[in-house]
Amino acid sequence: MSELERQRWLAGLALAAAVPLPITGIATWPFVLPYMLMAGWLLTRSRLVAAVPAWLENILAPLVLVAVVMAGGLQYGVLRPVAHLAVLVATIRLPGCASPRRTRRTLVITAIIAIAGIASSTHPSLLVYLLAVLALGTVAAGRETLLGLRTAELPLAPRLAWPPARLVAATVVLAVLVAAPLFAMLPRLRSPFAGTAIGSGGTSGFRSDVTLHGIGSIKVSQEVALTARFAGVTAPPREWLRLEGATLNHYRAGGWVEGRNVEPLPLPSLGEAVPLWPGTQPAGLQRVEITVEKPGTNLFLPPGSVSLEPPLAVEVSRTPMGVLRIRRGTPVPFSYAVSFDPRRVLAMPPEASDLEVPRRVRERVTPLVEDVVVGATDPLAAARAIEQHLQTEYTYSLRTMASLREDPVIWFLFRGRQGHCEFFASAMAMMLRIEGIPARLQVGFSGGELQGDGSFVVRESRAHAWVLAWVGGQWQVFDPTPLEGQPSVAQEGWRPRIPWSWDDVDAAWNRWVLTFTLFDQAEMLRTVVTWIGANTRPVGMAAVAVAGLTLLVIATWRRRPSSRSAPGSERPRGTDPVVRALEKVLAQAQRRGLEVDSSFSPQAFGRLAAAAFPVAREAVAWLVEAHERRRYAGGPSPGRRELRRNLAVALKGMQQASARQVDIQQLGAGR
Amino acid sequence: MSTGLRTTSFDQAFPGFSLRPAPALWVFLVAMPLLGVAALNTGNNALYLLVSLLLGVFAASGVLSRHTLKHLRVALQPMGDVFAGSPVRLRLWVGNGSAWLPATGVLCRLVGMPGRVLVPLVGPRGECTTTLTTMFGRRGMHRLPAVQVEVRLPLGFFVKTVRWPQDRDVLVYPRRVAGGLARWLSLSDREEYRRHGGRERGGDVDQLREFRTGDDRRDIHWKQTARQQRPIVVERRERRRPSRYLVLDRQLPRRDDALLAERFESLVSEIASAALAELQRGHHVGLVVGSSVTPPAAGSTQTRLVLGQLALVRAVGPGDDPLPPAIQGESVYRLVEGRR
């Protein structure tokens, strides 16, 4: 490959590697733009571009480091500064990349940039991007290989040195077919891509614990989580659709968990409604039927739930916080009904942990709380002031950049000043606790889409977080998220439900790629094993049938006329048992190191084999003689038993010894 | 094997298969574990996706290159006369039996001999004919060398090779040398060689005379014979073609002497070069090798006959194949011992 062409290829690969960077935000535009401009310029140049002089590189090197530090350094994790550094270094090093000395280093830096971009991507188009890069890489590798074969003795016009499109397409298709099961089977030890502390993206949807660290964008999933139908009410108030899934009161290291490891207690199965709270009045209760569509471990309850009609054949247990849980892997859909008092919010009484605030948060946030609640005369007013402050002074955003080195609540309140509902709710909970008001974080779903039959569809995108605060001797709900970030009740749109619409694709991508976990692997394996176990007989019969059919196809395929063969090179196949026996002996001799020329006659081979494997001499001689007698003298086939015995002796004799190197000339073997 | 014996199915599909890693493989083997550890450590499913696709493309490359190699067939054919020590062009036929996948960047080499060629593309179910140049070192009947077929694409991680043995033989004529004066033996006045072309019929009429014993009956002039009532023949001015022979005494003074054998080869080359030069001028050349006599003739057939004999002639020990008695002591090509 000429240096000019190599320069263009490297520039093209550098541009391709840069595509995800501005989209994911892993590298900011001030860093990405010069890199893309440099790569684009090199791509279009018609002559080689010399490398940046070493003295200039020495001047730029510390400036690069300064730029990376000023862009945030390690406070957003490792990925961003690495991406920034790689992009800047690549910008400086791309000129002169075509020289053999610099090509490899340029490829390494480009690969680092590409991996940083890929690792921070959450959009389904990542798959398309990867396939395109795969195809581009295949073309580049093929072209480099073909041009590398050129010599003065082996001329090859550059226009002919392109891998065929069919080969590239076949490579990509086959790679995808192999990659799909590999992706499912590769071992996973950590939480999935979405929601990890070092992860760079998240997926919206209910989760029973909350982690605030992270960088990237939250993806909004349109998957249906559940449906709800209120008995006798077609237009319920919005608050009825605030369905609690989990109540969290322990704030640890930037995240909320429900509590210490306490096993949930199973609810008694009474065959009828189970009371959830003692002493509740039956008057004024409303009833809702909820159908869970998405697998999970939580049941969702409207505020003031007093009794539960459990789902059939589903074991329900209850945590100390009052959260209802079901066994993981419970088949969906299933339905249950809840009676609730919409005038009340029922939860476990406050406890000491409802006032816990990390020391650093308390130190930092207390002055803010004092400023916000100044003038509040009672806890309710203070809570409303905090709620209002957060709703008006902060911006709702799905884009998160919570630092690893800083508490996310502190980051949200004082630096980021933007975030999603979990940030708002967490901040309010901390501020309330600092003010001495017990507070908890609740997560669940809020709002839904009214269907024509009066039911409400609740999608994953309506997952929400709000605050329970103990004010005035009772629990009250506060929602500090700005209105634009609060899920609402919407009328069913006329939008037709198109199968495999983009929402379905996006949801499937989120579910089966981004958030694929070790649990999912175990579930798949369990499902397969269960299915096989339940269908052993038909599966066994099907497996035998498939195996038999496969063998038949293979045997038929092998017996077909050979593919285009050279003129005059057709080889007759041996069908005679003596011939087949000799073929086996020949193969064994070759495996044991005897070099047999294809032009040797059976006699020549026999002499050679006898000399090389003395132990098998007599047996080989017998086989050769039997073959010649049959072929040339028209003699009968030898007895099957005798044939097998000699064959076994010959093979075993060769098996036990390596071939002695025999000079064919000394044997005077004829051809 | 001439009787149709065959090896195992893999050996039959990939005779002499070998696998050699290319530099690109080492880069891949270093990068993949690093990526895998990164994916495992971070739990990043996008990295898992990348790792899966890279492993997939590695597998795909192996499968496709093997498929390409499996369906390639090659055959060699000599083009024209082949002389030892002279570059010779061989025609190489390359066929692709795959129904859908083209074969690209196929490098063909001759095993044990110089000569290789790069075939850029053979389409699905297509074929391609090209030539390559090689050289046979020694005269004689040789089996055409096996062709080593190398495939690298699509990714160039491995160089996969098979060796296709060839079924054809090629007769390699002796080496052409710039020799000195050729030693010709004229045998036109030898009765036993007379009928081997010492005389040639035709030519201008010289005279009519009476028939003598030994005259060719076809020369009888029947009209004059009838008129004169005695056999009359037409005597023509004979176009005597020179009855030139090259004579080779293939008896060596001693058996199993490598130096003498080598000198014998030089002798054969000298004779062959002389014969070829004369035949190319259109002259008649005969050949005597030991007790075997090839009458003089001209033309391409005679050229092939003479060169073929010289290509296959083997030295023998003293007394194993003496020259005809008539040629004893005449000017012949023979090896003698130098005086010490």
Side-chain angles (χ1 to χ4, degrees), chain B residues 232-262:
Chain B
I232 302 294
V233 294
V234 177
E235 189 171 287
R236 300 177 185 271
R237 287 197 198 107
E238 294 174 345
R239 286 205 300 259
R240 285 183 171 273
R241 59 176 184 269
S243 178
R244 289 152 63 94
Y245 287 83
L246 289 167
V247 182
L248 173 64
D249 184 357
R250 67 187 184 120
Q251 300 171 104
L252 298 183
R254 282 194 312 281
R255 298 176 200 274
D256 301 327
D257 188 324
L259 183 60
L260 286 175
E262 207 49 49

Short mmCIF file of all heavy atoms in Angstrom, two decimals, chain B residues 232-262:
data_model
loop_
_atom_site.label_atom_id
_atom_site.label_comp_id
_atom_site.label_asym_id
_atom_site.label_seq_id
_atom_site.Cartn_x
_atom_site.Cartn_y
_atom_site.Cartn_z
N ILE B 232 15.92 -51.56 -68.06
CA ILE B 232 16.62 -50.28 -68.17
C ILE B 232 16.16 -49.41 -66.99
O ILE B 232 14.97 -49.37 -66.69
CB ILE B 232 16.28 -49.56 -69.48
CG1 ILE B 232 16.63 -50.41 -70.66
CG2 ILE B 232 16.97 -48.18 -69.52
CD1 ILE B 232 18.11 -50.67 -70.84
N VAL B 233 17.11 -48.81 -66.34
CA VAL B 233 16.77 -47.94 -65.21
C VAL B 233 17.16 -46.51 -65.57
O VAL B 233 18.04 -46.28 -66.37
CB VAL B 233 17.45 -48.36 -63.89
CG1 VAL B 233 16.93 -49.69 -63.42
CG2 VAL B 233 18.93 -48.30 -64.00
N VAL B 234 16.50 -45.61 -64.86
CA VAL B 234 16.84 -44.19 -64.99
C VAL B 234 17.81 -43.86 -63.87
O VAL B 234 17.52 -44.08 -62.69
CB VAL B 234 15.58 -43.30 -64.83
CG1 VAL B 234 15.97 -41.82 -64.89
CG2 VAL B 234 14.58 -43.64 -65.91
N GLU B 235 18.93 -43.39 -64.32
CA GLU B 235 19.89 -42.97 -63.30
C GLU B 235 19.78 -41.46 -63.19
O GLU B 235 19.91 -40.74 -64.15
CB GLU B 235 21.30 -43.38 -63.70
CG GLU B 235 22.31 -43.14 -62.56
CD GLU B 235 23.65 -43.74 -62.88
OE1 GLU B 235 23.76 -44.97 -62.83
OE2 GLU B 235 24.56 -42.95 -63.18
N ARG B 236 19.52 -41.03 -62.00
CA ARG B 236 19.35 -39.60 -61.78
C ARG B 236 20.53 -39.07 -60.98
O ARG B 236 21.22 -39.81 -60.31
CB ARG B 236 18.06 -39.33 -61.00
CG ARG B 236 16.83 -39.82 -61.72
CD ARG B 236 15.60 -39.60 -60.86
NE ARG B 236 14.43 -40.16 -61.52
CZ ARG B 236 13.67 -39.49 -62.38
NH1 ARG B 236 13.98 -38.24 -62.70
NH2 ARG B 236 12.62 -40.08 -62.93
N ARG B 237 20.67 -37.78 -61.13
CA ARG B 237 21.69 -37.16 -60.28
C ARG B 237 21.15 -37.17 -58.84
O ARG B 237 20.19 -36.52 -58.51
CB ARG B 237 21.94 -35.72 -60.69
CG ARG B 237 22.71 -35.62 -61.97
CD ARG B 237 23.30 -34.24 -62.14
NE ARG B 237 23.63 -34.11 -63.57
CZ ARG B 237 22.96 -33.36 -64.41
NH1 ARG B 237 21.97 -32.61 -64.02
NH2 ARG B 237 23.29 -33.33 -65.70
N GLU B 238 21.82 -37.95 -58.02
CA GLU B 238 21.28 -38.13 -56.66
C GLU B 238 21.48 -36.87 -55.84
O GLU B 238 22.52 -36.25 -55.88
CB GLU B 238 22.00 -39.30 -55.98
CG GLU B 238 21.71 -40.62 -56.64
CD GLU B 238 22.54 -41.70 -56.03
OE1 GLU B 238 23.53 -41.37 -55.33
OE2 GLU B 238 22.22 -42.87 -56.24
N ARG B 239 20.37 -36.56 -55.22
CA ARG B 239 20.51 -35.47 -54.24
C ARG B 239 20.89 -36.14 -52.92
O ARG B 239 20.07 -36.57 -52.15
CB ARG B 239 19.22 -34.71 -54.07
CG ARG B 239 18.88 -33.82 -55.21
CD ARG B 239 17.98 -32.72 -54.70
NE ARG B 239 16.76 -33.31 -54.15
CZ ARG B 239 15.62 -33.36 -54.78
NH1 ARG B 239 15.52 -32.89 -56.01
NH2 ARG B 239 14.57 -33.88 -54.22
N ARG B 240 22.16 -36.26 -52.84
CA ARG B 240 22.58 -36.92 -51.61
C ARG B 240 22.43 -35.94 -50.45
O ARG B 240 22.97 -34.87 -50.47
CB ARG B 240 24.04 -37.33 -51.73
CG ARG B 240 24.26 -38.53 -52.61
CD ARG B 240 25.73 -38.88 -52.57
NE ARG B 240 25.92 -40.15 -53.24
CZ ARG B 240 25.79 -41.30 -52.60
NH1 ARG B 240 25.51 -41.33 -51.34
NH2 ARG B 240 25.95 -42.42 -53.26
N ARG B 241 21.65 -36.39 -49.50
CA ARG B 241 21.68 -35.57 -48.31
C ARG B 241 22.77 -36.12 -47.41
O ARG B 241 23.02 -37.32 -47.41
CB ARG B 241 20.33 -35.60 -47.60
CG ARG B 241 19.87 -36.96 -47.17
CD ARG B 241 18.57 -36.85 -46.40
NE ARG B 241 18.19 -38.15 -45.91
CZ ARG B 241 17.42 -38.98 -46.57
NH1 ARG B 241 16.95 -38.68 -47.78
NH2 ARG B 241 17.11 -40.15 -46.05
N PRO B 242 23.37 -35.21 -46.72
CA PRO B 242 24.48 -35.68 -45.89
C PRO B 242 23.93 -36.63 -44.83
O PRO B 242 22.95 -36.36 -44.16
CB PRO B 242 25.02 -34.40 -45.25
CG PRO B 242 23.95 -33.39 -45.37
CD PRO B 242 23.13 -33.76 -46.56
N SER B 243 24.50 -37.72 -44.67
CA SER B 243 24.08 -38.72 -43.71
C SER B 243 24.86 -38.47 -42.44
O SER B 243 25.85 -39.12 -42.16
CB SER B 243 24.36 -40.10 -44.30
OG SER B 243 24.02 -41.10 -43.39
N ARG B 244 24.39 -37.45 -41.70
CA ARG B 244 25.17 -37.02 -40.54
C ARG B 244 24.55 -37.58 -39.30
O ARG B 244 23.36 -37.47 -39.07
CB ARG B 244 25.19 -35.49 -40.49
CG ARG B 244 26.04 -34.87 -41.59
CD ARG B 244 25.55 -33.49 -41.96
NE ARG B 244 25.63 -32.55 -40.88
CZ ARG B 244 26.67 -31.72 -40.68
NH1 ARG B 244 27.72 -31.77 -41.51
NH2 ARG B 244 26.69 -30.87 -39.70
N TYR B 245 25.38 -38.14 -38.50
CA TYR B 245 24.96 -38.71 -37.24
C TYR B 245 25.76 -38.08 -36.12
O TYR B 245 26.94 -37.78 -36.27
CB TYR B 245 25.23 -40.24 -37.21
CG TYR B 245 24.28 -41.04 -38.07
CD1 TYR B 245 24.52 -41.18 -39.45
CD2 TYR B 245 23.18 -41.69 -37.52
CE1 TYR B 245 23.66 -41.91 -40.23
CE2 TYR B 245 22.32 -42.43 -38.30
CZ TYR B 245 22.57 -42.54 -39.66
OH TYR B 245 21.72 -43.27 -40.43
N LEU B 246 25.10 -37.96 -35.04
CA LEU B 246 25.81 -37.70 -33.80
C LEU B 246 25.83 -39.01 -33.03
O LEU B 246 24.80 -39.67 -32.87
CB LEU B 246 25.08 -36.63 -32.97
CG LEU B 246 25.16 -35.22 -33.55
CD1 LEU B 246 24.17 -34.30 -32.88
CD2 LEU B 246 26.58 -34.68 -33.40
N VAL B 247 27.00 -39.37 -32.58
CA VAL B 247 27.16 -40.68 -31.97
C VAL B 247 27.57 -40.49 -30.52
O VAL B 247 28.51 -39.76 -30.22
CB VAL B 247 28.22 -41.51 -32.71
CG1 VAL B 247 28.34 -42.89 -32.08
CG2 VAL B 247 27.86 -41.62 -34.19
N LEU B 248 26.85 -41.14 -29.66
CA LEU B 248 27.13 -41.04 -28.23
C LEU B 248 27.42 -42.43 -27.70
O LEU B 248 26.60 -43.34 -27.78
CB LEU B 248 25.95 -40.43 -27.49
CG LEU B 248 26.05 -40.44 -25.96
CD1 LEU B 248 27.21 -39.57 -25.50
CD2 LEU B 248 24.76 -40.00 -25.32
N ASP B 249 28.59 -42.57 -27.15
CA ASP B 249 28.93 -43.81 -26.44
C ASP B 249 28.60 -43.58 -24.98
O ASP B 249 29.26 -42.79 -24.29
CB ASP B 249 30.42 -44.11 -26.62
CG ASP B 249 30.80 -45.43 -25.99
OD1 ASP B 249 29.93 -46.08 -25.37
OD2 ASP B 249 31.98 -45.81 -26.11
N ARG B 250 27.55 -44.23 -24.52
CA ARG B 250 27.09 -43.96 -23.15
C ARG B 250 27.77 -44.83 -22.13
O ARG B 250 27.35 -44.88 -20.97
CB ARG B 250 25.59 -44.08 -23.07
CG ARG B 250 25.03 -45.48 -23.27
CD ARG B 250 23.51 -45.39 -23.31
NE ARG B 250 22.90 -46.72 -23.40
CZ ARG B 250 22.07 -47.19 -22.47
NH1 ARG B 250 21.75 -46.46 -21.43
NH2 ARG B 250 21.54 -48.39 -22.62
N GLN B 251 28.82 -45.54 -22.54
CA GLN B 251 29.53 -46.37 -21.57
C GLN B 251 30.54 -45.51 -20.83
O GLN B 251 31.34 -44.81 -21.46
CB GLN B 251 30.27 -47.51 -22.26
CG GLN B 251 29.35 -48.44 -23.04
CD GLN B 251 30.14 -49.41 -23.88
OE1 GLN B 251 30.28 -50.58 -23.56
NE2 GLN B 251 30.69 -48.93 -24.98
N LEU B 252 30.46 -45.53 -19.53
CA LEU B 252 31.41 -44.79 -18.72
C LEU B 252 32.58 -45.70 -18.39
O LEU B 252 32.43 -46.91 -18.31
CB LEU B 252 30.77 -44.32 -17.43
CG LEU B 252 29.60 -43.36 -17.57
CD1 LEU B 252 29.12 -42.92 -16.19
CD2 LEU B 252 29.97 -42.17 -18.41
N PRO B 253 33.76 -45.10 -18.24
CA PRO B 253 34.91 -45.93 -17.91
C PRO B 253 34.71 -46.68 -16.60
O PRO B 253 35.20 -47.77 -16.42
CB PRO B 253 36.06 -44.92 -17.79
CG PRO B 253 35.59 -43.73 -18.57
CD PRO B 253 34.11 -43.69 -18.43
N ARG B 254 33.99 -46.05 -15.67
CA ARG B 254 33.76 -46.71 -14.38
C ARG B 254 32.32 -46.47 -13.99
O ARG B 254 31.72 -45.45 -14.29
CB ARG B 254 34.66 -46.12 -13.30
CG ARG B 254 36.09 -46.56 -13.31
CD ARG B 254 36.77 -46.17 -11.97
NE ARG B 254 36.50 -44.81 -11.63
CZ ARG B 254 37.13 -43.76 -12.17
NH1 ARG B 254 38.07 -43.95 -13.08
NH2 ARG B 254 36.83 -42.53 -11.81
N ARG B 255 31.82 -47.42 -13.26
CA ARG B 255 30.47 -47.23 -12.74
C ARG B 255 30.54 -46.39 -11.47
O ARG B 255 31.58 -46.29 -10.83
CB ARG B 255 29.84 -48.58 -12.38
CG ARG B 255 29.66 -49.51 -13.53
CD ARG B 255 29.13 -50.85 -12.97
NE ARG B 255 29.37 -51.92 -13.91
CZ ARG B 255 28.56 -52.24 -14.91
NH1 ARG B 255 27.46 -51.54 -15.11
NH2 ARG B 255 28.86 -53.22 -15.72
N ASP B 256 29.39 -45.85 -11.10
CA ASP B 256 29.20 -45.20 -9.80
C ASP B 256 30.27 -44.16 -9.52
O ASP B 256 30.82 -44.07 -8.43
CB ASP B 256 29.21 -46.24 -8.65
CG ASP B 256 28.13 -47.27 -8.83
OD1 ASP B 256 27.06 -46.91 -9.37
OD2 ASP B 256 28.35 -48.43 -8.45
N ASP B 257 30.60 -43.40 -10.52
CA ASP B 257 31.54 -42.31 -10.33
C ASP B 257 30.75 -41.03 -10.55
O ASP B 257 30.31 -40.73 -11.66
CB ASP B 257 32.70 -42.42 -11.32
CG ASP B 257 33.80 -41.42 -11.01
OD1 ASP B 257 33.46 -40.27 -10.58
OD2 ASP B 257 34.96 -41.75 -11.20
N ALA B 258 30.60 -40.24 -9.49
CA ALA B 258 29.76 -39.06 -9.59
C ALA B 258 30.35 -38.05 -10.57
O ALA B 258 29.62 -37.38 -11.32
CB ALA B 258 29.59 -38.44 -8.21
N LEU B 259 31.66 -37.93 -10.55
CA LEU B 259 32.29 -36.95 -11.45
C LEU B 259 32.07 -37.34 -12.90
O LEU B 259 31.76 -36.50 -13.76
CB LEU B 259 33.78 -36.86 -11.13
CG LEU B 259 34.56 -35.82 -11.95
CD1 LEU B 259 33.98 -34.43 -11.71
CD2 LEU B 259 36.04 -35.85 -11.59
N LEU B 260 32.24 -38.63 -13.19
CA LEU B 260 32.02 -39.10 -14.55
C LEU B 260 30.55 -38.90 -14.94
O LEU B 260 30.26 -38.54 -16.09
CB LEU B 260 32.40 -40.57 -14.68
CG LEU B 260 33.90 -40.87 -14.69
CD1 LEU B 260 34.14 -42.37 -14.71
CD2 LEU B 260 34.57 -40.21 -15.88
N ALA B 261 29.68 -39.13 -13.99
CA ALA B 261 28.25 -38.94 -14.30
C ALA B 261 27.97 -37.49 -14.66
O ALA B 261 27.21 -37.19 -15.57
CB ALA B 261 27.41 -39.37 -13.09
N GLU B 262 28.62 -36.60 -13.93
CA GLU B 262 28.42 -35.20 -14.21
C GLU B 262 28.97 -34.81 -15.56
O GLU B 262 28.37 -34.06 -16.33
CB GLU B 262 29.09 -34.38 -13.10
CG GLU B 262 28.50 -33.02 -12.83
CD GLU B 262 27.02 -33.02 -12.67
OE1 GLU B 262 26.47 -33.86 -11.89
OE2 GLU B 262 26.37 -32.22 -13.34
#
